[in-house]
Amino acid sequence: MARHDVSRPRPLISFYGDLVKVAGKTTRIGGGADSAGTEGRGGGRQGGAKAAAERDHETQAVRDRALAAMDRAYAPYSKFYVGAALLGTDGSITEACNVENAAFPAGTCAERAALASAIARGVRTFRLLAIATSAGEPTPPCGMCRQALIEFCPELEIVSVTRSGKGTRFRLSELLPNAFSPRSLDRSTD
Ligand code: THU
């Protein structure tokens, strides 16, 4: 994918398995350069090899939950299966899948379903979203899901993976720049 192709979202990092490529250099996923700036457990990201290894492990767990959720997707119409898993700043993981309907617009995306479920369990701040799809290449979240997610976590880090292990990273603020936010609702006149 061309790096400056404005017609497409620009991935921060591409990775295969646990190895990620950051600006041409291969490194481990979650290894620092890809920090989304979101708060970690205990307040802030830690440095060091141990912390990086813990983040690798955590990322893998979130990705696995998204892949498992994808296998439960109800998508008989599009046959496009999606799983999404959100890692909360409290360490919780909440996953969901897309659920389609014979009345097509009544269907829901995996990402918004995961978000709604996390909110319902009291988790409102997130460190990572993993998306798993049945596509051949990793896909970004749809526009409506970007808007829904940005309400809670503008700098959310997103990992999108395929069944075969291909993956791409995105940052939500890059996927949806100049987003309409709660502050946009400010009714005071200028
Ligand atoms: N879908 C998602 O679950 N998430 C996205 O970000 C894009 C699309 C679902 C909706 C529908 O069930 C199927 O994928 C095809 O669009």
Side-chain angles (χ1 to χ4, degrees), residues 42-68:
R45 293 213 169 224
Q46 305 156 284
K50 192 165 171 237
E54 274 172 22
R55 285 200 297 274
D56 286 353
H57 191 256
E58 207 168 45
T59 300
Q60 205 167 325
V62 184
R63 205 173 56 191
D64 288 351
R65 292 277 283 270
L67 283 160

Side-chain angles (χ1 to χ4, degrees), residues 74-75 78 80-82 97-100 108-111 140-142 145:
Y74 178 73
S78 72
F80 188 81
Y81 303 93
V82 187
C97 57
N98 56 333
V99 181
E100 296 185 348
T108 50
C109 286
E111 296 90 331
C142 79
C145 289

Side-chain angles (χ1 to χ4, degrees), residues 8-178:
R8 297 181 192 212
R10 183 163 65 85
L12 290 179
I13 297 165
S14 296
F15 74 89
Y16 292 89
D18 279 337
L19 291 176
V20 293
K21 262 190 148 187
V22 184
K25 278 193 269 176
T26 302
T27 182
R28 291 217 147 258
I29 197 165
D34 56 333
S35 164
T38 44
E39 290 295 298
R41 205 179 315 165
R45 293 213 169 224
Q46 305 156 284
K50 192 165 171 237
E54 274 172 22
R55 285 200 297 274
D56 286 353
H57 191 256
E58 207 168 45
T59 300
Q60 205 167 325
V62 184
R63 205 173 56 191
D64 288 351
R65 292 277 283 270
L67 283 160
M70 174 178 67
D71 286 336
R72 299 190 293 270
Y74 178 73
Y77 306 107
S78 72
K79 300 201 176 348
F80 188 81
Y81 303 93
V82 187
L86 274 166
L87 174 64
T89 52
D90 64 350
S92 66
I93 301 174
T94 308
E95 80 269 56
C97 57
N98 56 333
V99 181
E100 296 185 348
N101 193 279
F104 293 176
T108 50
C109 286
E111 296 90 331
R112 268 175 297 138
L115 178 65
S117 185
I119 300 297
R121 67 190 288 202
V123 184
R124 290 187 175 182
T125 50
F126 306 101
R127 275 196 279 147
L128 181 69
L129 166 68
I131 301 169
T133 76
S134 53
E137 295 296 324
T139 57
C142 79
M144 203 183 287
C145 289
R146 295 178 198 191
Q147 179 66 37
L149 290 161
I150 215 159
E151 175 90 5
F152 297 95
C153 198
E155 296 303 323
L156 184 63
E157 191 181 341
I158 301 171
V159 178
S160 182
V161 299
T162 68
R163 267 206 182 97
S164 67
K166 287 185 187 173
T168 303
R169 285 192 169 228
F170 304 99
R171 197 177 304 236
L172 184 56
S173 58
E174 289 203 343
L175 291 178
L176 192 61
N178 303 312

